[in-house]
Each structure stands twice: as structure tokens, then as C-alpha cells.
Amino acid sequence: MTRALAGDVDTSLRVTCSDPGHTLVAADGPIAEANEFLAALQVRGLSPRTIRAYAYDLLLLYRWMHAAGRSLRQLEARDLLGFIAAQRKVGAEPKSINRRLTTARLLYRFWMNRELGVGSRVSLPGAHYKGPGRDHDLGIHRLRRRGVLKLRVREPRKLVEPLTPEQVRAFLRSLKRYRDLAITHFMLLCGLRSAEVLGLELDDIIFSDGRVRVCGKGQRDRALPLVLSRALRRYLELERPRQCSKPRLFVILQGKRRGQPMTPAGLRSLFRHRRRRRVLAIANPHRFRHTFGADMARAGVRLPVLQQMMGHADLKTTLQYVRLSMADVADEFRRALKKIAARYR
């Protein structure tokens, strides 16, 4: 966040977190139009993490509007080109910029009761002809006629490489606690997100049925087989304090906060310290989840089943695990090359 906020901006604008939720505050007091929008999102039941993301998107938007001398009612679509340029200047990722553009349009529609018009001198993406029928990726979604395209930044398609078996073994060997081993297993063998791991409670672990109940994004629950019961049982029997303040599964094990729920910062530090080793430089929590998805796809798990296991709302998101990584392509190429060499020997 520090990187995205760098530059000539009004630092008096800030986000505060209180019991009701996140609010935007300026030097002369709260920003009512932004805070009413955030309050409406909270009433709709969006998760605190989602509302927090909206709040910081609005913070960047209002800092830019203040520097550009614009207000929400004066905002036009071509003004957003200046917002894009400012975001690019501080090194924001295209995906983040597009999310912030969506936040700006939603805020404008919330207050103006109309869409942010296109207007002149706005560079919109060109509409690609996809042909009639169904989509080319899955063949199950009907193609709809596209309306007026929104202003967006081109997002490059990045291929996220899963961890190699050597990297996984090196990381697991570096763990000294059953708690840390169980956390890593939940990501590597069950595909859980970081927030899902931290949100697990004791009642979510059902040893009798051999399954774990997971509350994912959008409050969507799913059940997964409990394949790591040995490390988890050792943690519960030997490491987890008997008296804990909350029923969270994973807690802090030492210091003044012993028995308190493990925090996102604590989980990040578990991986950050180990990434100092060159062989584990890319071993972040989400990379273990991605490795799980890639392993399941390699093993032939069907797409709808993999979608359920990963907790994806859209089946297209699951396709990224089906696309071969560069390591898979290289392995197939070497195997084919051996056969070709034998043929012409």
C-alpha cells in the first residue's frame, strides 16, 4: 500500500477502522459520500476484507481527485485517464487499476443514479468478434451481445508457476512446529486460502467424518476431505494451549499473546522468513494453493470437481490450473524428443 500511495498526494486523507467498519476521513472531517457508500456495502453483507479493499480504493481515488481539483459530481470518463496515468506512475498493477476503476464507477452510480458516461476523448478497448454460439474455453457459456465497453487497462496474462517437489520438500523440512506443518498442509493438500486457514475454528474439524468445513469467499461454505489429521492431531494434543480466548483453530503459541488467534501478519512471517533462502524465494501462501490446483489438474480431476474444491465462483477461474506450466511443457518436450531421437537413430 505504501508504494501505491507514493507521490504528491494529500496524506491528510486516510482510512480509519472502527467497530462499525472502515471510514474515509479528511483534514476537515469524514467524507460523507464515500462513507455512505461503504455503509451500503456493509448492509449488503460483504465481507470485511472486501469492504476494506473498497475503502483503500476510494482513498486512492479521493486523493487523486483532490490533487486534480475534481469532485465526484464533476467526474467524467475521460478524467479517469488521468487517474490511470497517476496509478501507472506509482507502479500499480493493471489488475489493481481495473478494480479501482470499477470502484469509481460504482461510487458514481451510487450517488448520481446513472452510469459514468463515455464522452469524447476516451480510449475504450475494441470489441472482439467471438462469433455466435458458446465460449471457446469451456463450451458451456452462451455468448451474449456485449454492450458499451468500460474503460479498462490491458491485463497481461501471467502464468503462475506451481512449486516444484524439491521446493515443497525443502519448505516442509524447515518447519519446526506441528501447527506450521498443519497450516502448510491445509494449503498444499486442501487448497485453502490464507484467510480460510486463519478463519478455521475447532468445530470446523470433524475427525469422525474425516472432513473439514471451510467458509470461503462470499460466505460460500464447502467441505473437503481431512487428509492431514496426523499433523493436526499432534498440534491439538501437544502445542495448542488448553485455555484460548476464542475457538479459532490456529493460535499464537508463545509470548504475551499466547492463545490469541493467529493474525495475518503472523502467517505472513511464517513464510517470509523461509523465503530468504533462494530455493524458497517464491514459496508464498497462495503459491501452495496454486500448487494444489495444478497437482489436482495433472491428476485428472474434472473441472467442476476442482472448482468445488478450490471454492471458485466462476469455472473460468479454475481453468488457470489446467493450463500447462513451462515445467510441464518442458517435460513433455523432453519425453517426445527422446522418442524422436530413437526413431532417427
Side-chain angles (χ1 to χ4, degrees), residues 163-177 180-181 184-185 188 270-271 273-284 288 291:
L163 297 170
T164 65
E166 292 75 19
Q167 289 172 319
V168 172
R169 286 193 290 267
F171 189 91
L172 294 178
R173 283 195 297 265
S174 71
L175 300 176
K176 306 299 183 184
R177 293 191 176 104
D180 301 341
L181 185 61
T184 307
H185 280 173
L188 178 66
L270 167 64
F271 290 83
H273 295 315
R274 288 164 175 81
R275 287 206 306 273
R276 294 172 183 170
R277 296 174 56 188
R278 180 176 298 180
V279 68
L280 301 177
I282 62 171
N284 57 55
F288 278 90
T291 302

Side-chain angles (χ1 to χ4, degrees), residues 49-345:
R49 291 171 61 89
T50 301
I51 295 176
R52 180 182 183 275
Y54 272 112
Y56 279 98
D57 287 346
L58 291 175
L59 175 65
L60 295 175
L61 177 66
Y62 273 90
R63 283 183 169 178
W64 169 79
M65 287 196 299
H66 184 269
R70 307 290 287 177
S71 67
L72 183 64
R73 286 166 177 76
Q74 297 172 329
L75 203 61
E76 297 180 1
R78 64 186 178 188
D79 293 326
L80 295 181
L81 288 175
F83 180 60
I84 293 173
Q87 289 293 291
R88 283 192 177 279
K89 187 176 180 180
V90 297
E93 292 290 333
K95 188 175 182 179
S96 299
I97 296 175
N98 285 333
R99 191 189 69 238
R100 290 159 192 165
L101 291 173
T102 300
T103 301
R105 285 192 291 266
L106 291 175
L107 177 69
Y108 186 89
R109 186 172 64 189
F110 179 81
W111 279 103
M112 303 293 110
N113 196 26
R114 64 177 184 271
E115 298 293 338
L116 187 60
V118 176
S120 59
R121 292 184 293 166
V122 178
S123 176
L124 295 177
H128 300 286
Y129 176 73
K130 291 189 176 181
R134 300 178 182 272
D135 69 289
H136 301 308
D137 287 331
L138 299 176
I140 61 176
H141 298 286
R142 283 194 175 278
L143 296 176
R144 298 178 181 177
R145 183 180 296 277
R146 301 184 69 174
V148 178
L149 297 177
K150 306 296 184 183
L151 178 62
R152 292 180 61 82
V153 176
R154 182 180 179 86
E155 295 182 23
R157 178 179 291 180
K158 296 182 179 180
L159 187 63
V160 181
E161 292 287 339
L163 297 170
T164 65
E166 292 75 19
Q167 289 172 319
V168 172
R169 286 193 290 267
F171 189 91
L172 294 178
R173 283 195 297 265
S174 71
L175 300 176
K176 306 299 183 184
R177 293 191 176 104
Y178 287 114
R179 181 200 64 180
D180 301 341
L181 185 61
I183 287 174
T184 307
H185 280 173
F186 268 122
M187 297 174 180
L188 178 66
L189 303 178
C190 297
L192 268 61
R193 304 176 177 92
S194 298
E196 293 171 345
V197 171
L198 293 178
L200 288 174
E201 298 189 352
L202 291 174
D203 292 342
D204 294 329
I205 309 299
I206 309 171
F207 286 106
S208 59
D209 291 343
R211 61 188 176 92
V212 55
R213 183 172 58 243
V214 182
C215 181
K217 280 187 175 181
Q219 304 299 314
R220 291 185 293 269
D221 290 347
R222 67 186 189 275
L224 294 170
L226 188 62
V227 297
L228 60 156
S229 58
R230 182 179 179 183
L232 189 58
R233 285 182 186 274
R234 288 283 192 272
Y235 160 66
L236 294 174
E237 293 171 359
L238 304 176
E239 294 180 348
R240 190 178 188 274
R242 299 300 177 189
Q243 300 296 329
C244 294
S245 60
K246 293 184 180 179
R248 287 289 174 84
L249 177 61
F250 293 112
V251 299
I252 300 171
L253 299 181
Q254 60 187 15
K256 294 181 179 179
R257 301 189 62 216
R258 174 177 165 83
Q260 296 287 326
M262 193 174 185
T263 63
L267 181 63
R268 287 193 297 269
S269 67
L270 167 64
F271 290 83
R272 184 175 62 251
H273 295 315
R274 288 164 175 81
R275 287 206 306 273
R276 294 172 183 170
R277 296 174 56 188
R278 180 176 298 180
V279 68
L280 301 177
I282 62 171
N284 57 55
H286 202 73
R287 188 80 62 163
F288 278 90
R289 171 176 160 84
H290 188 89
T291 302
F292 167 81
D295 287 343
M296 292 294 107
R298 290 189 189 113
V301 175
R302 293 181 294 114
L303 273 177
V305 177
L306 183 56
Q307 179 193 13
Q308 174 67 22
M309 296 170 72
M310 300 292 292
H312 290 151
D314 190 346
L315 190 56
K316 291 182 179 180
T317 308
T318 316
L319 273 177
Q320 64 181 318
Y321 300 103
V322 179
R323 298 191 181 101
L324 292 175
S325 69
M326 294 304 297
D328 294 327
V329 173
D331 289 341
E332 291 296 322
F333 176 76
R334 282 192 289 267
R335 279 194 288 268
L337 200 60
K338 288 181 180 179
K339 294 181 180 180
I340 293 172
R343 178 183 298 174
Y344 295 114
R345 188 173 298 164

Side-chain angles (χ1 to χ4, degrees), residues 11-27 29-31 35 38 42 48 51-52 55-56 59 63:
T11 55
S12 64
L13 285 167
R14 64 189 189 279
V15 173
T16 62
C17 181
S18 57
D19 191 19
H22 293 79
T23 56
L24 259 68
V25 179
I31 303 176
N35 295 331
L38 293 173
Q42 189 170 3
I51 295 176
R52 180 182 183 275
Y56 279 98
L59 175 65
R63 283 183 169 178

